[in-house]
Amino acid sequence: MKYIALDIGNVCIKIDPLTACVKMGFKTIDPVLLKAELKFETGYSTEEEFCRAILATDAAKDKSVDELRAIFDSILVAPVEGMPELVASLPARGIQPVFFSDISTRHLALTRKMFPAAKFVPCGIYSFATGVMKPHEWMFRAFEGRFGKPFLYTDDRADLIDAAQKFGWKTHRFINAQELESALFS
């Protein structure tokens, strides 16, 4: 079986963290917010601890927990055009998609609801399970330990593509579904 390592943010699901930060009450992506999100996305804090950390700031103190969760969820905007169809087609074409993502448990659950082709991606390697984020070596080693080197890894971030290449992974910098399909089948 061939495996494709799929990032989620801006590959499978469009994300917009800046708009969510502003809705929370921050003027920009705030260091307190980044620290709280990092702890949540690497499994070092619970969703409740994440919410308490944000609500303790002056910027977000007037929000309720439910408002904060809705705003946090709004970071995930919609499936990237063409990706649900492409991902759904991969298993029949001999390629098993595997999520490879820095993500919180909450956003993964929402991804599975928002992204129709998630049913074709039964598993993944996630930052909340490894305790680190890409480009940390443990993320790459966790993937290799379970699936071997992927047939292809796709991500929109150049720094993560560069890191994967240092591990000897074949990569494709994600632009759109059509280019990814060409990279897979040309």
Side-chain angles (χ1 to χ4, degrees):
M1 176 64 70
K2 294 181 196 176
Y3 296 96
I4 181 172
L6 288 173
D7 181 51
I8 294 174
N10 289 328
V11 173
C12 294
I13 300 280
K14 289 181 211 170
I15 61 172
D16 184 3
L18 185 56
T19 298
C21 290
V22 171
K23 287 179 186 176
M24 283 182 201
F26 298 98
K27 296 199 184 317
T28 186
I29 298 177
D30 187 89
V32 172
L33 176 59
L34 284 176
K35 182 179 177 183
E37 189 171 1
L38 176 65
K39 286 178 72 176
F40 185 32
E41 288 188 350
T42 54
Y44 291 103
S45 72
T46 65
E47 183 177 330
E48 291 74 26
E49 291 168 327
F50 168 75
C51 289
R52 276 197 308 269
I54 302 307
L55 295 174
T57 65
D58 286 339
K61 67 183 176 194
D62 64 332
K63 303 287 188 268
S64 72
V65 171
D66 289 340
E67 286 175 307
L68 180 62
R69 285 182 174 136
I71 293 167
F72 185 64
D73 288 351
S74 76
I75 290 171
L76 305 181
V77 178
V80 171
E81 185 178 335
M83 284 302 289
E85 298 81 7
L86 177 59
V87 170
S89 78
L90 293 177
R93 297 163 91 180
I95 299 174
Q96 178 58 59
V98 175
F99 286 140
F100 184 63
S101 188
D102 297 331
I103 196 165
S104 67
T105 52
R106 184 172 184 89
H107 278 174
L108 179 59
L110 185 56
T111 293
R112 291 209 166 274
K113 288 179 185 174
M114 288 178 70
F115 190 68
K119 64 185 175 190
F120 297 99
V121 189
C123 55
I125 302 298
Y126 308 108
S127 57
F128 66 79
T130 62
V132 295
M133 297 179 98
K134 299 178 285 184
H136 197 286
E137 175 181 349
W138 293 355
M139 284 285 285
F140 294 97
R141 296 296 176 225
F143 190 98
E144 289 178 359
R146 189 158 175 200
F147 306 104
K149 286 194 188 307
F151 171 70
L152 187 71
Y153 165 51
T154 189
D155 201 304
D156 64 307
R157 289 180 41 194
D159 62 319
L160 299 179
I161 291 295
D162 292 345
Q165 289 172 347
K166 291 177 184 170
F167 284 96
W169 287 21
K170 182 180 172 188
T171 62
H172 173 76
R173 177 126 184 242
F174 185 83
I175 304 296
N176 59 47
Q178 295 77 22
E179 283 194 12
L180 176 56
E181 187 169 23
S182 291
L184 285 167
F185 299 106
S186 293

